[in-house]
Amino acid sequence: MNPTLQTNNGTLRIGYKGTSPWYEAWKRLRKQKSALIGLGMILFFILVGIFAPLIAPEPYDPANPVYNPTNGLQPPSEKHWLGTDDLGRDIFSRILHGARISLWVGFVSVAGSIVVGTALGLISGYYGKWADTLISRLFDIMLAFPSILLAIAIVAVLGPSLSNALLAIAIINVPTYGRLVRSRVLSVKEEEYITAARVIGMSNSRILFQHVLPNCMAPIIVQGTLGIATAIIEAAALSFLGLGAQAPQPEWGKMLSDARPYLTTAPWTMIFPGIAIMLTVLGFNMFGDGLRDALDPKMKQ
């Protein structure tokens, strides 16, 4: 609501630009250099993945790779900026195309975890009773296992592939978002405006989606941003163990696995994919930390 100022000639209205909480959060975010650097790194890798066929000096088709063992394990040069692997494939081209796979796994798996975890958290926190007990015990059981071991078990049952690795990563992260939403719902549903909504006869579904869920979005967004970094690492770990992406897919974790025998003779085959993973994860972590500070009400002045 715009404030008003009474004058002799009438009422003068004074408006403030961008009074919404999201605009205020964006203003706080813009003041954090580390968060903006992280956002820039994220956008850089997204653009790299989108335009990989145009950027790569030697176009590489993941579905139909061209092997040239006679050109294998070549050090970085003018022709091959980051060198070649044991099969003569250009590492720079593979890293560019690998950005598509790693980012796709990160975004899709986290999106799936958020959808399922948020739904279960809303039901558990709002309705309580037996639903809360059942869902909470399910989360406790899943959290009792180390996440990477649970992911390995799921992929071992379903079979090694990138899609199954994505599904496993989404499943193991559901409790994280479920418990986060549940704790937020338990706090929000005791607010006076929720009680007023019940008194006027508003249905539970309208209360959940119009009042409760919007108040849970800030922590979900922050956790989701940080979760993408974790998902990229988990996907790389599964591929490194041979349970994720399969040859000839240019996934960064798979590239590290294939380069293990050449760590001492051709270290560039492992160094550059490792740097790509590190920079991508660092970008999401820096941006996620900035979002957490920007969306925290305690940070408001």
Side-chain angles (χ1 to χ4, degrees):
M1 180 181 296
N2 291 330
T4 59
L5 176 63
Q6 297 291 336
T7 65
N8 294 332
N9 297 327
T11 301
L12 174 65
R13 296 186 179 274
I14 304 175
Y16 294 101
K17 180 181 178 181
T19 56
S20 70
W22 295 105
Y23 181 80
E24 296 296 329
W26 168 244
K27 289 199 300 183
R28 290 193 296 272
L29 182 64
R30 288 188 300 177
K31 297 178 181 178
Q32 302 186 40
K33 294 183 179 180
S34 61
L36 295 180
I37 293 174
L39 178 60
M41 295 168 66
I42 294 171
L43 295 177
F44 170 77
F45 279 101
I46 291 176
L47 293 176
V48 163
I50 293 174
F51 298 105
L54 301 177
I55 301 174
E58 292 187 4
Y60 170 75
D61 183 3
N64 187 28
V66 177
Y67 303 114
N68 186 13
T70 59
N71 196 36
L73 301 179
Q74 295 294 317
S77 62
E78 184 178 353
K79 182 178 180 181
H80 302 287
W81 294 353
L82 302 183
T84 62
D85 63 7
D86 57 314
L87 296 177
R89 297 172 297 189
D90 185 72
I91 293 178
F92 180 63
S93 299
R94 288 174 61 79
I95 289 178
L96 294 179
H97 287 275
R100 290 182 170 185
I101 296 176
S102 295
L103 292 175
W104 179 74
V105 170
F107 281 107
V108 175
S109 62
V110 168
S113 299
I114 289 177
V115 171
V116 178
T118 299
L120 293 177
L122 287 173
I123 295 172
S124 176
Y126 187 79
Y127 292 101
K129 299 181 180 179
W130 64 269
D132 184 26
T133 301
L134 180 62
I135 295 174
S136 296
R137 296 297 78 78
L138 175 63
F139 289 163
D140 291 340
I141 293 173
M142 295 179 67
L143 292 172
F145 296 92
S147 59
I148 190 63
L149 293 182
L150 182 58
I152 291 174
I154 295 173
V155 176
V157 172
L158 299 177
S161 69
L162 183 62
S163 58
N164 289 338
L166 187 154
L167 179 61
I169 294 170
I171 292 174
I172 64 175
N173 288 310
V174 166
T176 301
Y177 299 96
R179 298 188 74 171
L180 175 67
V181 173
R182 175 184 177 274
S183 63
R184 182 62 180 164
V185 171
L186 290 175
S187 175
V188 171
K189 76 174 186 179
E190 301 299 330
E191 297 289 342
E192 294 181 356
Y193 63 88
I194 299 296
T195 303
R198 293 196 188 100
V199 170
I200 64 175
M202 185 176 291
S203 64
N204 289 329
S205 60
R206 288 189 61 189
I207 293 175
L208 281 172
F209 289 103
Q210 293 186 13
H211 298 292
V212 178
L213 182 58
N215 284 281
C216 300
M217 291 306 299
I220 291 175
I221 292 173
V222 172
Q223 184 60 42
T225 304
L226 297 172
I228 293 175
T230 303
I232 291 174
I233 294 177
E234 291 168 342
L238 291 174
S239 297
F240 184 83
L241 297 174
L243 299 174
Q246 302 297 307
Q249 291 176 311
E251 200 274 334
W252 293 338
K254 179 62 176 174
M255 293 175 66
L256 290 176
S257 179
D258 294 339
R260 280 183 299 174
Y262 313 105
L263 176 60
T264 56
T265 58
W268 58 86
T269 57
M270 292 194 71
I271 291 175
F272 294 118
I275 291 176
I277 295 173
M278 181 197 70
L279 291 178
T280 306
V281 172
L282 178 63
F284 278 104
N285 283 336
M286 292 173 64
F287 183 60
D289 288 339
L291 269 182
R292 180 170 50 197
D293 295 338
L295 294 175
D296 187 354
K298 297 178 181 179
M299 299 297 294
K300 294 181 179 179
Q301 298 180 355

